[in-house]
Amino acid sequence: MKKTLNNLAKFETLASDHDPTTKASSANSSGITSAAFQFHHSDLFSVHFDQHPNFTEMCGIFAYLNYDVSRERRYILEVLFNGLRRLEYRGYDSAGISIDSSSVAGAVRSPSDPPLVFRQEGNIESLVKSVYQEVSATDLNLEESFSVHAGIAHTRWATHGEPAPRNSHPQSSGAENDFLVVHNGVITNYEVLKQSLLRHGYTFESETDTEVIPKLAKFVFDKANEGGDQTVTFSEVVLEVMRHLEGAYALIFKSRHYPNELIACKRGSPLLLGVKEFAEEQNNGTSYNEMNFISKNGHPKELFLSSDPHALVEHTKKVLVIEDSEVVDIKDGGVTILKFDNGKRKDGKSLSRPASVQRALSILEMEVEQISKGKYKYYMQKEIHEQPESLTTTMRGRLIRGGSSKRKSVLLGGLKDHLKTIRRSRRIVFIGCGTSYNAALAARPILEELCGIPVMMEIASDLLDRQAPVYRDDTTIFVSQSGETADTLNALEYALENGALCVGITNTVGSSVARNTHCGVHINAGSEIGVASTKAYTSQIVVMAMVALAIGADTISTKQRREGIIESLLNLPGKIREVLKLDEEMKELARSLISEQSLLMFGRGYNYATALEGALKVKEVALMHSEGILAGEMKHGPLALVDETLPIVVIATRDQCFSKQQSVIQQLKARKGRLIVMCTEGDAAAVCGGSCRVIEVPQVVDCLQPVVNIVPLQLLAYHLTVLRGYNVDQPRNLAKSVTTE
Ligand code: AGP
């Protein structure tokens, strides 16, 4: 079996050595520069295959601790709520927070002050509303100032137990909230732990796997203090709890026994620490100190813990990527990191002894604008409209036009050492899910044409269900925006076991796809926050077209064709700018479809994928039934559905399938079909003689036409959703990253 290279150097991000302008924009969706990751990436978003990645829960965790910086309760609440808003795309069916209760004026907080817990079903705004309602009902003082305070927060996408306050986090050790935990991941041995805790008299309120954790912490704490002398430290309690946990998790603990202290730890699920330090002489929060290490004690500071960088960037760019088996203890203005030597003992049962480790901070190369909606109302809208820029970044430094011969070529640093092997492959097998699968389908014809190698398409779950044959001389290409999709990761593990060369195409540096494949290409589309994938889709197609150009680079007979494609790639952002001008027209079209039950999309050749992807967008956000249909299959069933009421989009832009699509249109018209035809600019009359609705799009080279053609359909899905009154960015029942099987 080929050795997996857990090294980002083997994974193409940007060929910046060919374009000095690329440096500033080289952060990708993870937001952390690859340079920084040379030191810290190794366990980022790490999901080890022996830790059941297929059951990882999709949630967001966040914490805010202010030390020696005076903050009012209202401010603390808002920081926690904003953190959750940034993480909401990770899960949005329930949320919760914990903050300190009011103490007697001037008194030191004591174990008799149980923290307050607020939990609510629904989105973050439902939580915010319920917290302020409770605050006013209980006269909680929002102006009370805390020079030190530790708050924790959670946004959930349910897997264990329905969305309900009792199943929301923080989960508690019991009525007095001795220990509180927010959790992203899953505890696979929770049933066993629950049974033993039940035997020790603990009662359970939720159906979550998480609830065993705070209860176990209380059990450990009570046992250690049976003599009445409280000497066990918070980190000792958590370390002991970790010894008993199996599964994947990122956890943050808060306890009334350890006021103003937080403990975080992780195995498998992502976790970052953000640090904002203030100069000692100015503790009023105005002077931000730029240090590369976290000062030990005493300095005023604000510390943040988060599942991903989106919730940190508005506060600080100094981050520490917490690695697997590390325990972070935030106390008295200092941060101590303890690390187990190995995740597990050799017998696989428990963890070895932890040792303190020194870590340098990394710089987050992410701007707030990247993760804010800017002038747009929704992320999906913003991400559709920023495609000219995201595509430019995807191609930057990778298309070479130069030399006296004006030769045009493609350089993909992460693939160049593997091109020979790929060219010798018996097959290329694309593997992905949802939009990523569709992007691969759109790129398949150009791979076949330029590489002359059979290209197979596999939906990751189906490949696994069939245990389909994968061979040592196959090149498998894993396509995933997040790089964390469970089905895709399981298929990757399967392909590795079968000895295939594994190539990754992902938007996320440090993701499992990036780390566990032999080589690959980052699509560099920037953070995609809307659950519906839009700009990642177009960047994926462009990357795969570049992969085809790189593999086919030494074939003389296709030189002209390749150069034409490169020229068209260079002009693509301008064409996308043109097609985005259809926004208003698509809104009009959406208005005419608002009450429909169903929408069909017919495509073929390069644009079969466009039909599938357009339909996926409509069904996933507009919650309208929509099917992408291969036009060649029309007469084998779908034609029966055609009547004067059912709207049908037919993609008939100019390529080798054009005349066949013209014939499809004629047949649909003969059955009084209600047609919306997408055609090349100037073709409207020729294509449907003025008797159907037309979407005219600019023409580009055939293999890139799907990149242009999908944009009006993305806009259509977006407007349909808004007009139908549904949530654009967080569609019902869906989460951005599908890390469960
Ligand atoms: C896209 O709009 C969907 N949200 C979904 O199909 C997605 O593309 C799929 O879950 C795969 O995700 P990945 O690209 O992160 O692997």
Side-chain angles (χ1 to χ4, degrees):
M1 191 201 293
K2 297 171 188 80
K3 195 178 171 321
T4 304
L5 301 170
N6 288 336
N7 183 349
L8 285 179
K10 295 283 166 197
F11 212 87
E12 164 77 357
T13 48
L14 286 168
S16 49
D17 44 343
H18 291 273
D19 182 347
T21 61
T22 58
K23 221 175 169 207
S25 51
S26 67
N28 49 61
S29 77
S30 76
I32 300 167
T33 48
S34 8
F37 268 100
Q38 282 167 9
F39 304 101
H40 301 299
H41 76 274
S42 60
D43 280 312
L44 178 72
F45 305 158
S46 154
V47 178
H48 295 302
F49 290 116
D50 60 346
Q51 292 176 2
H52 311 280
N54 41 335
F55 298 117
T56 305
E57 192 160 341
M58 298 170 274
C59 300
I61 60 175
F62 183 74
Y64 169 53
L65 189 148
N66 55 303
Y67 176 78
D68 205 11
V69 184
S70 190
R71 296 293 186 220
E72 289 184 351
R73 179 177 278 120
R74 185 191 302 278
Y75 180 92
I76 292 165
L77 280 174
E78 283 307 316
V79 171
L80 293 174
F81 292 148
N82 277 335
L84 289 184
R85 286 185 184 109
R86 297 290 187 203
L87 299 178
E88 196 167 18
Y89 79 109
R90 301 182 69 96
Y92 40 86
D93 59 36
S94 36
I97 57 163
S98 173
I99 55 167
D100 287 344
S101 55
S102 291
S103 57
V104 181
V108 176
R109 198 159 303 283
S110 76
S112 58
D113 302 325
L116 300 171
V117 173
F118 303 89
R119 297 184 301 199
Q120 186 62 33
E121 185 186 332
N123 63 13
I124 308 300
E125 295 320 313
S126 317
L127 174 73
V128 174
K129 200 168 152 205
S130 76
V131 169
Y132 283 119
Q133 272 167 0
E134 213 170 316
V135 162
S136 75
T138 55
D139 281 336
L140 189 66
N141 181 5
L142 290 176
E143 275 72 51
E144 183 179 351
S145 257
F146 296 80
S147 64
V148 192
H149 181 278
I152 57 174
H154 187 270
T155 180
R156 178 168 188 253
W157 194 91
T159 57
H160 290 69
E162 60 177 347
R166 70 177 188 289
N167 289 327
S168 309
H169 302 202
Q171 284 288 308
S172 172
S173 57
E176 292 295 296
N177 292 337
D178 294 57
F179 289 89
L180 292 161
V181 170
V182 288
H183 172 208
N184 175 26
V186 77
I187 304 306
T188 47
N189 64 336
Y190 82 100
E191 278 295 359
V192 182
L193 294 171
K194 190 169 176 174
Q195 290 312 317
S196 1
L197 287 161
L198 283 168
R199 280 197 295 277
H200 283 93
Y202 285 82
T203 53
F204 284 77
E205 188 200 349
S206 77
E207 290 104 66
T208 66
D209 53 326
T210 306
E211 196 177 355
V212 296
I213 306 171
K215 292 197 157 60
L216 193 55
K218 180 161 166 48
F219 176 78
V220 170
F221 177 83
D222 289 347
K223 273 270 166 239
N225 289 295
E226 263 170 0
D229 176 27
Q230 187 191 318
T231 52
V232 65
T233 65
F234 199 176
S235 54
E236 282 167 347
V237 172
V238 173
L239 287 163
E240 187 52 33
V241 169
M242 278 180 83
R243 282 178 208 282
H244 297 275
L245 299 181
E246 286 172 19
Y249 52 81
L251 302 169
I252 308 175
F253 290 76
K254 175 177 169 68
S255 168
R256 71 186 188 114
H257 297 287
Y258 304 96
N260 306 323
E261 183 175 354
L262 288 177
I263 306 276
C265 60
K266 88 161 206 98
R267 273 181 78 204
S269 302
L271 187 63
L272 288 101
L273 170 73
V275 182
K276 183 173 179 178
E277 297 208 62
F278 300 93
E280 213 170 356
E281 65 277 13
Q282 290 168 295
N283 64 0
N284 59 3
T286 53
S287 169
Y288 178 29
N289 201 3
E290 295 283 330
M291 286 190 278
N292 285 325
F293 290 89
I294 314 162
S295 66
K296 257 302 169 207
N297 288 333
H299 286 263
K301 56 174 72 75
E302 292 180 301
L303 296 142
F304 308 85
L305 290 156
S306 173
S307 304
D308 72 39
H310 294 158
L312 300 179
V313 65
E314 65 200 278
H315 301 288
T316 181
K317 294 197 174 175
K318 301 256 175 178
V319 299
L320 196 65
V321 180
I322 310 302
E323 296 186 355
D324 273 358
S325 305
E326 285 187 343
V327 177
V328 182
D329 185 354
I330 307 178
K331 185 185 177 185
D332 298 334
V335 176
T336 309
I337 297 168
L338 298 167
K339 188 175 174 77
F340 289 102
D341 320 345
N342 305 301
K344 279 182 178 178
R345 248 177 26 195
K346 282 217 175 84
D347 60 10
K349 285 251 159 59
S350 67
L351 297 148
S352 57
R353 284 200 69 75
S356 172
V357 288
Q358 274 282 341
R359 305 276 307 284
L361 296 169
S362 305
I363 302 297
L364 208 51
E365 291 271 339
M366 181 182 267
E367 299 304 326
V368 179
E369 301 78 70
Q370 259 187 59
I371 55 153
S372 60
K373 293 174 196 151
K375 62 177 181 179
Y376 298 100
K377 222 168 157 199
Y378 303 99
Y379 284 112
M380 182 185 180
Q381 184 191 22
K382 177 188 176 224
E383 286 156 7
I384 293 171
H385 285 273
E386 70 191 12
Q387 289 177 103
E389 291 73 39
S390 54
L391 288 170
T392 304
T393 315
T394 298
M395 291 184 276
R396 186 170 284 143
R398 289 167 165 173
L399 299 179
I400 316 296
R401 201 173 18 174
S404 50
S405 61
K406 295 266 180 289
R407 211 178 133 253
K408 300 184 188 85
S409 59
V410 164
L411 186 103
L412 297 172
L415 277 197
K416 65 178 174 15
D417 295 341
H418 297 267
L419 289 173
K420 272 193 190 146
T421 317
I422 298 172
R423 286 176 192 133
R424 283 199 303 263
S425 304
R426 186 211 300 223
R427 308 182 299 171
I428 291 174
V429 186
F430 274 123
I431 301 166
C433 308
T435 289
S436 293
Y437 173 89
N438 292 343
L441 188 67
R444 177 196 208 177
I446 195 62
L447 256 291
E448 287 174 332
E449 182 189 335
L450 294 183
C451 312
I453 304 169
V455 180
M456 317 298 292
M457 297 300 307
E458 290 286 357
I459 291 174
S461 60
D462 189 45
L463 173 94
L464 291 163
D465 289 347
R466 292 173 9 248
Q467 294 286 294
V470 171
Y471 304 104
R472 294 178 65 85
D473 49 6
D474 282 340
T475 291
T476 49
I477 305 186
F478 294 84
V479 189
S480 172
Q481 188 283 133
S482 62
E484 297 296 349
T485 301
D487 288 333
T488 308
L489 293 182
N490 290 341
L492 170 56
E493 185 188 15
Y494 177 76
L496 287 167
E497 276 167 9
N498 285 285
L501 175 72
C502 296
V503 180
I505 292 180
T506 182
N507 200 23
T508 313
V509 170
S511 61
S512 297
V513 163
R515 292 184 310 103
N516 293 309
T517 44
H518 297 108
C519 55
V521 189
H522 287 116
I523 66 167
N524 297 326
S527 292
E528 191 181 68
I529 295 173
V531 166
S533 189
T534 51
K535 62 176 181 171
Y537 177 73
T538 47
S539 286
Q540 284 169 335
I541 298 176
V542 162
V543 160
M544 287 182 266
M546 290 194 290
V547 168
L549 291 164
I551 299 171
D554 58 359
T555 311
I556 294 160
S557 59
T558 56
K559 182 171 176 284
Q560 229 182 339
R561 168 80 162 143
R562 288 197 313 274
E563 295 204 346
I565 295 170
I566 293 175
E567 202 52 47
S568 195
L569 278 170
L570 291 163
N571 296 329
L572 195 55
K575 298 287 182 187
I576 301 297
R577 236 167 248 126
E578 273 177 49
V579 76
L580 281 167
K581 291 182 188 149
L582 293 173
D583 194 24
E584 265 309 308
E585 202 177 314
M586 289 306 107
K587 191 172 176 181
E588 272 311 302
L589 178 59
R591 210 166 267 135
S592 71
L593 298 172
I594 187 170
S595 316
E596 297 303 332
Q597 298 284 316
S598 190
L599 177 63
L600 299 187
M601 302 210 187
F602 281 69
R604 73 194 313 149
Y606 285 108
N607 287 293
Y608 172 37
T610 311
L612 291 184
E613 177 60 10
L616 176 58
K617 289 294 87 101
V618 169
K619 76 177 80 145
E620 113 175 278
V621 286
L623 313 189
M624 180 189 283
H625 170 255
S626 187
E627 286 303 319
I629 296 173
L630 184 70
E633 281 288 284
M634 185 181 72
K635 284 188 271 188
H636 304 289
L639 199 54
L641 292 171
V642 178
D643 62 17
E644 57 276 21
T645 59
L646 176 69
I648 303 173
V649 175
V650 183
I651 301 152
T653 41
R654 294 265 173 180
D655 60 20
Q656 73 271 31
C657 296
F658 179 63
S659 58
K660 286 184 182 168
Q661 282 303 75
Q662 278 185 308
S663 144
V664 163
I665 290 167
Q666 291 316 317
Q667 293 178 57
L668 291 170
K669 277 170 76 175
R671 276 142 194 104
K672 298 195 168 51
R674 186 177 156 194
L675 302 191
I676 302 150
V677 176
M678 183 184 291
C679 65
T680 304
E681 267 165 1
D683 267 356
V687 163
C688 60
S691 64
C692 50
R693 190 147 191 163
V694 167
I695 307 168
E696 286 190 85
V697 294
Q699 184 169 15
V700 294
V701 68
D702 52 6
C703 64
L704 298 178
Q705 196 65 50
V707 178
V708 172
N709 291 0
I710 195 59
V711 176
L713 302 180
Q714 293 171 343
L715 289 168
L716 176 66
Y718 162 75
H719 286 299
L720 260 180
T721 311
V722 175
L723 291 168
R724 284 161 68 93
Y726 295 121
N727 190 331
V728 179
D729 289 330
Q730 287 138 12
R732 186 175 67 194
N733 303 336
L734 298 178
K736 181 68 181 162
S737 183
V738 186
T739 48
T740 55
E741 232 175 16

